[in-house]
Amino acid sequence: MTPLSQVEHAVDLRRSVGAWHGGGPIGFVPTMGALHAGHERLIEQARRECARVVVSIFVNPLQFDRADDLERYPRTIEADAAICARLGVDLLFLPTLQEMYPTPPACTVDPGTLAEHLCGAYRPGHFRGVATVVLKLLNIVGADRAYFGEKDAQQLAIVRRMVADFNVPVTIVGVPTIREGDGLALSSRNVRLNAQERLLAPRLHQALGTADHLIAGGNTDADAVKNAATRVIGSDDLLRLEYFEIVDPDTLQPVEAIAGPVLVAGALWVGGTRLIDNCRSAPTSPRH
Ligand code: PAF
């Protein structure tokens, strides 16, 4: 295994990446660390499609709406570096807070109506923080392709739109969600679930499956689909459904009558852990 190069400063990163230009596509996987199989899938895809791969690890305070969430966010830098080395990452960017925000930013990226619903409605400022740090990272790294998980569907839609709106010269690649055997989407937050909570956690995925089934079967009434799907979650003192919405996959605005592809997304609190998941769904075309 070749030793993994690590840099802290944007100027050093630019120097390394600059020397690679012209030698094939450069792939970039931005992360906040605590790498799991979901991140591994992003890195593996970048590795397959690009000549060089850069991974960043930066726990971005700007996107945390709760101080305790930021504090509790898992930090596992040595294990993360080992994963990057094993997967053949060329360069690991580990900027400090001072490097990314030498002063609190005066200019930030406003995702507008894209952040009005779904997670954005419950996490004020979250997507402004995400879009701002992603734009900074894309500018610093200068990659040709950047990889994001489809599990964070709202984030992915916002990043795609930001890149289009600001003419950022990068291709955004969405990578399908990795799941445990019982359907639970992999997330850095899953480690916080105790045994009882872990048993309940797949209920969100089950509700999404029900919604998908109803929509594919021709049910066009979004409220009826949501009601039937959320009944699957059931009631338990440990469960609290934050939202379960059916929205347009690009504008992220709620849909009332389902006539084409939609994004079905939910957030479920399981004990003290907030889990999100989603699926793309569409009415099945009638056979002729
Ligand atoms: O998905 C994440 O891990 C973060 O939101 C990202 C894209 C690395 C920005 O901090």
Side-chain angles (χ1 to χ4, degrees):
M1 216 182 329
T2 39
L4 173 69
S5 303
Q6 304 187 9
V7 292
E8 265 189 23
H9 299 292
V11 62
D12 298 326
L13 181 109
R14 281 215 185 93
R15 195 176 303 121
S16 301
V17 174
W20 298 335
H21 281 299
I26 296 165
F28 174 44
V29 183
T31 80
M32 296 205 300
L35 302 185
H36 52 64
H39 296 106
E40 291 193 20
R41 183 61 67 86
L42 303 185
I43 297 171
E44 283 162 357
Q45 188 164 336
R47 189 64 287 172
R48 277 197 305 277
E49 295 177 354
C50 301
R52 302 284 189 167
V53 176
V54 179
V55 171
S56 66
I57 298 179
F58 177 64
V59 183
N60 173 35
L62 219 59
Q63 71 187 74
F64 284 82
D65 43 322
R66 293 185 6 243
D68 63 320
D69 198 25
L70 172 61
E71 225 162 80
R72 290 171 66 205
Y73 201 85
R75 287 159 174 89
T76 56
I77 201 74
E78 276 172 28
D80 294 346
I83 290 173
C84 289
R86 172 166 57 77
L87 297 180
V89 169
D90 294 285
L91 190 56
L92 184 56
F93 181 40
L94 297 168
T96 58
L97 189 60
Q98 172 68 19
E99 182 72 21
M100 291 301 284
Y101 302 115
T103 54
C107 303
T108 54
V109 179
D110 176 5
T113 54
L114 293 173
E116 265 176 5
H117 299 281
L118 312 176
C119 293
Y122 297 88
R123 305 190 64 188
H126 170 67
F127 288 111
R128 178 188 298 272
V130 169
T132 302
V133 81
V134 170
L135 184 60
K136 284 169 71 73
L137 289 167
L138 292 176
N139 282 336
I140 292 170
V141 177
D144 301 293
R145 299 169 70 79
Y147 295 78
F148 293 83
E150 288 178 355
K151 183 174 87 65
D152 297 308
Q154 190 169 18
Q155 167 171 287
L156 177 57
I158 289 172
V159 168
R160 280 192 198 286
R161 187 58 196 262
M162 176 186 73
V163 159
D165 284 349
F166 293 154
N167 303 84
V168 185
V170 65
T171 300
I172 300 300
V173 184
V175 179
T177 305
I178 306 281
R179 300 183 179 281
E180 302 280 7
D182 58 6
L184 176 66
L186 291 201
S187 160
S188 307
R189 291 189 161 87
N190 292 356
V191 294
R192 297 182 191 166
L193 299 167
N194 66 28
Q196 198 186 353
E197 291 164 352
R198 176 62 189 82
L199 283 176
L200 295 167
R203 297 261 182 105
L204 179 56
H205 172 66
Q206 290 156 9
L208 289 164
T210 300
D212 182 44
H213 180 73
L214 292 172
I215 293 168
N219 200 321
T220 59
D221 180 344
D223 278 341
V225 171
K226 283 190 275 182
N227 288 339
T230 52
R231 271 199 295 278
V232 171
I233 291 172
S235 59
D236 189 294
D237 286 348
L238 287 170
L239 296 178
R240 183 170 65 80
L241 185 64
E242 190 173 86
Y243 71 79
F244 193 91
E245 294 295 336
I246 300 178
V247 299
D248 178 281
D250 299 318
T251 65
L252 305 183
Q253 296 305 300
V255 165
E256 282 173 20
I258 302 164
V262 289
L263 173 71
V264 189
L268 179 67
W269 284 90
V270 184
T273 305
R274 182 178 179 277
L275 302 177
I276 59 168
D277 202 351
N278 69 84
C279 67
R280 291 273 191 143
S281 205
T284 312
S285 322
R287 293 220 177 97
H288 296 291

